[in-house]
Each structure stands twice: as C-alpha cells, then as structure tokens.
Amino acid sequence: MSRSPWFERTPESPALPGEGEALVLSVPPSAPFAERASLVVSGAFQIGESIEGIANGDPFAALTVFVVEGATQRSFAVRPMADGVGLATEPGPAGTQRGWFAADVFAMAKREANPGTYYVSAYLGALQCAPVAVQIVGAPSARHA
C-alpha cells in the first residue's frame, strides 16, 4: 500500500545545499509500464526570503510538480499537498526553512502513462528545478474498452 504523498525525509530524498534557497528533485531514471503506472518523485526545498511571495506563507500548499510527455508534449501538474493541512517546515541554515515531499505523480493525476520519455520538474513560488527525464519502459498491452 502506497503512503504517497508524504512529507518527511526518506532515504530517497535528495540532498539540499548548505546555504541559500533551492528546490531539488529525485526522479528514478526509468519506471516500468503498467496499466496503472507508478512514478514516485521525491523532492526537497530550502526556502528563505522567497517565502514572502507565497500565498499564506505555506510552501507545502504552493508546491507544484509538473510532468510533460516527450512524444506528445501533453502535460499535467499535481499539487502533493492539495488535500493536506498543518505541515511544518524544519529550520535550515541562515534563516531558511526546509521541507521534504514524495508523490506518485501518475496516481495523483489519475493519468495513464505511455512508454516513452517524460520530463518532471517542480515549482515553488519563484523557485524551480530543471526538468528531469524518466523513461517509462515496456510495451503496452491491448487496452480493454
């Protein structure tokens, strides 16, 4: 049973820099194709002054993960904290705040994946991370109507 999304540091969580603001993702290089494909994306943020530009000062509520299918350029976005309340950041260096997250982006979006390359990025106020490529591998079976 998946506990995604969740909002605590895990072994898969990416490292944060020692100073400054950052938004980082950890995306597996590939995932198997399945009728209900799963792609768990882990991330972390370290935010300081930019938090003032975020509605209600809540970085978890503002966090958006964006996914683009390479072959079709179709895209979707998920907000891992859409249904949650009350998360707190942890203190980081030099007055920053840190937070961690993980979400199964296909499950959250209720999307079916196709074999091919997808690009995953994340946005948090003015912070963004470069798209990370992931391959969905395997052949689709015949879908039943």
Side-chain angles (χ1 to χ4, degrees), residues 13-130:
S13 296
L16 285 164
E19 294 184 20
E21 295 185 311
L23 175 61
V24 292
L25 286 179
S26 176
V27 180
S30 65
F33 173 82
E35 282 297 316
R36 294 288 177 208
S38 177
L39 179 60
V40 176
V41 173
S42 298
F45 62 83
Q46 185 165 285
I47 192 164
E49 292 180 10
S50 294
I51 201 166
E52 294 173 8
I54 295 175
N56 300 323
D58 184 353
F60 288 104
L63 176 68
T64 303
V65 179
F66 189 64
V67 180
V68 177
E69 182 177 9
T72 64
Q73 296 300 298
R74 286 186 290 219
S75 63
F76 63 90
V78 297
R79 301 195 74 185
M81 186 56 182
D83 297 325
V85 292
L87 291 178
T89 55
E90 295 179 12
T96 61
Q97 296 291 312
R98 291 179 163 181
W100 290 267
F101 61 93
D104 185 334
V105 293
F106 286 122
M108 285 194 74
K110 298 182 175 126
R111 295 284 182 120
E112 292 182 8
N114 294 307
T117 305
Y118 286 78
Y119 299 92
V120 183
S121 57
Y123 300 85
L124 176 57
L127 299 176
Q128 60 182 331
C129 66

